[in-house]
Amino acid sequence: MFISKKFLKRATLGIIGLGTLTSLRANEYDLGSIGIVRLGRAAITVFIIGRHYKTELYGSNLSPNTQEYLDLKSKVHKYGAQKLLELCCANKGVYIKVGQHIGALDYLLPPEYVSTMRVLHSSAPQSSFKDVLTVIKEDFKKDPYEIFERIDPEPLGAASLAQVHKAVLKNGDTVAVKIQHRAVKTNSYVDIKTMSALVKLTSLVFPDFKFDWLVDETKKNIPRELNFTEEGKNAEKVQNIFSHYHWLKIPKIYWNLSTSRVLTMEFVEGGQVDNLKYIQSNNLNPYEVSSKLGRLYSHMIFIVGFVHSDPHPGNVLVRKKNNEAEIILLDHGLYANLSNEFRWEYSKLWLAILDGNKAAMQTHCANLGVGDLYGLLACMVSGRSWDAIVAGVQKTKYDTQEKEKFQKEIPNLLAQISNVLDKVNRQMLLILKTNDLVRCIEHSLKTESRMSGMIEMSKCCIHSVYGEKLKSCTNMWSKWKVSMSKQWSLFKLSLYYIYLGAINFNIINSVDSLIKNEFYAF
């Protein structure tokens, strides 16, 4: 999105080299005519966007400090975003998933791109109803209306890999049926190979950037997401893990009416979790919604190590039940399975960030693969500026000024960010994506500055780290000491939270000293 003045020249060379790349590597990639068309479409879009930035913005000779320049930049961003949206809708599949992720990066990308791509969260291109019926018939070997009394022709929502239709069973149950797009599996394999070729093209245009990690992760994740049987098992697993959360709803799976391409679930209604108007009109508290979502994901990441990794707003609903907010979690196709070692290291990194301990941040970032860029990784993990981290993110309220500064600095750091993503522990990639999407929801609900989320996260980190210490205890006495230390840390954190709720953020330093040393006693 942030394109240098040298982009056009390099992009032109890249486009010229594209024909050579596809012809020389056709057999290796087995792209086929469809794949080459999709690759060419993407490359041409990149070229058009770059040329537009070059001629309209960088060639304008306007001073960057003028309002006229800012207005022109916004106009150029809108053009680029629209072209990117058109590419996603034309190529579908993996491209839709990339577009959905862009639509979640409020704190990172220009608002023109975010608002344009956000439509893909719930309004991705649809398959025809004829194709939907064909997939059902192919998988069940019978006419769809022998299974369902009624299927609504219009989908409730369409996503990158599938779409969901409301239906009624023969016994009268209302269900949601998720049907994979008929050609998505074939196209996805082509798209992955296309992405690999595009990475080579992008390397010609941006030689300092490293995108191989993106191809590697896509190769690993797409086959998992295309297996709806695995998605159903994930849904039941997370329901069992969090059965004590009475405010969490996971739709029931109808296994007798499900296959690897068709997933039949209990139909549940609710509003998108980022729809502030819906939340307010239903007399729900956005801070309650945000707090419950933060609690759920903190426990997934730091305690359980089984993390729902696609929480874009279309996959998280909310509704009022028994006079409180109920969170409805959908689309369980992609989960991160975190090792205990990663969980403990990540917990320690977060405690270091919360405490502003630079030495500890460097140590734990090094253990995660990027010690030399520990400050940047800390910013990526927390979504906060380095100044806020050093000052203490628990004591520094997130505001518009910090967000604007963050967005202003990001264009200068894209090469370094690419380097971090290339080096960091692979388990971190889905976590960074999850963090981005949850922060996007908080931004939409205007709850970014809430301190309760940090407290909940701190509690989970303490549980995780002391859980590691308990595993290494060899006798009852050492276990008792560790357990008491853990309870003492949690108690002091509770005092901190009470104090934080009673006074202004600017005078909390005296309480901060109560917990500072305890976090690093281990």
Side-chain angles (χ1 to χ4, degrees), residues 327-391:
I327 303 295
I328 304 164
L329 202 57
L330 307 175
D331 198 338
H332 301 270
L334 184 59
Y335 271 77
N337 285 282
L338 309 180
S339 68
N340 287 336
E341 292 74 20
F342 174 83
R343 249 188 335 104
W344 295 329
E345 205 61 58
Y346 187 55
S347 298
K348 292 174 184 177
L349 173 59
W350 254 113
L351 289 178
I353 292 172
L354 293 170
D355 193 42
N357 188 320
K358 290 192 284 186
M361 278 186 258
Q362 187 169 15
T363 296
H364 300 306
C365 284
N367 292 338
L368 290 169
V370 288
D372 53 333
L373 293 169
Y374 74 94
L376 183 55
L377 181 58
C379 292
M380 293 168 66
V381 164
S382 64
R384 302 294 300 271
S385 69
W386 180 245
D387 289 343
I389 290 172
V390 172

Side-chain angles (χ1 to χ4, degrees), residues 37 50 59 90 94 96 123 146 178 184 198 203 216 249-250 266 270 281 312 337 347 355 371 406 408 504:
V37 168
V94 173
I96 296 292
S123 301
E146 293 180 38
K178 182 175 181 179
V184 73
L198 275 176
S203 296
D216 292 341
K249 175 68 177 178
I250 308 294
E266 172 186 7
S281 64
H312 71 71
N337 285 282
S347 298
D355 193 42
F406 200 99
K408 185 178 180 180
N504 188 277

Side-chain angles (χ1 to χ4, degrees), residues 16 73 99 154 181 191 224-225 245 265 273 288 305 320 371 377 433 453 515:
I16 291 173
K73 182 167 72 170
E154 287 298 315
H181 298 310
D191 285 345
R224 292 160 54 191
E225 293 187 81
Y245 281 1
M265 304 160 283
V273 71
E288 179 194 356
K320 193 168 187 176
L377 181 58
K433 174 189 175 185
I515 64 168

Side-chain angles (χ1 to χ4, degrees), residues 213-406:
W213 62 270
L214 180 60
V215 177
D216 292 341
E217 287 303 299
T218 303
K219 285 180 179 178
K220 182 178 71 176
N221 293 330
I222 288 296
R224 292 160 54 191
E225 293 187 81
L226 287 171
N227 185 350
F228 288 178
T229 301
E230 183 173 341
E231 178 175 344
K233 291 178 180 177
N234 288 340
E236 292 190 338
K237 181 176 178 179
V238 80
Q239 175 64 62
N240 291 332
I241 291 172
F242 294 100
S243 58
H244 59 290
Y245 281 1
H246 65 277
W247 44 263
L248 177 64
K249 175 68 177 178
I250 308 294
K252 181 183 74 173
I253 306 297
Y254 287 74
W255 284 112
N256 61 321
L257 299 176
S258 298
T259 68
S260 63
R261 293 196 300 170
V262 179
L263 189 65
T264 303
M265 304 160 283
E266 172 186 7
F267 178 76
V268 184
E269 291 186 285
Q272 280 195 186
V273 71
D274 66 336
N275 188 338
L276 186 57
K277 184 176 180 181
Y278 170 88
I279 288 172
Q280 292 172 337
S281 64
N282 283 269
N283 296 317
L284 291 169
N285 185 339
Y287 284 94
E288 179 194 356
V289 173
S290 187
S291 179
K292 286 179 173 178
L293 195 65
R295 191 187 316 170
L296 174 63
Y297 276 90
S298 290
H299 277 70
M300 283 183 173
I301 293 170
F302 297 108
I303 306 300
V304 177
F306 187 65
V307 188
H308 180 277
S309 298
D310 200 12
H312 71 71
N315 288 339
V316 186
L317 305 181
V318 62
R319 66 181 180 183
K320 193 168 187 176
K321 184 177 180 181
N322 298 327
N323 210 34
E324 67 172 329
E326 181 179 55
I327 303 295
I328 304 164
L329 202 57
L330 307 175
D331 198 338
H332 301 270
L334 184 59
Y335 271 77
N337 285 282
L338 309 180
S339 68
N340 287 336
E341 292 74 20
F342 174 83
R343 249 188 335 104
W344 295 329
E345 205 61 58
Y346 187 55
S347 298
K348 292 174 184 177
L349 173 59
W350 254 113
L351 289 178
I353 292 172
L354 293 170
D355 193 42
N357 188 320
K358 290 192 284 186
M361 278 186 258
Q362 187 169 15
T363 296
H364 300 306
C365 284
N367 292 338
L368 290 169
V370 288
D372 53 333
L373 293 169
Y374 74 94
L376 183 55
L377 181 58
C379 292
M380 293 168 66
V381 164
S382 64
R384 302 294 300 271
S385 69
W386 180 245
D387 289 343
I389 290 172
V390 172
V393 294
Q394 298 191 84
K395 298 176 284 186
T396 309
K397 186 176 181 180
Y398 183 81
D399 55 23
T400 303
Q401 185 177 1
E402 182 184 347
K403 178 183 177 183
E404 290 175 351
K405 183 179 179 180
F406 200 99

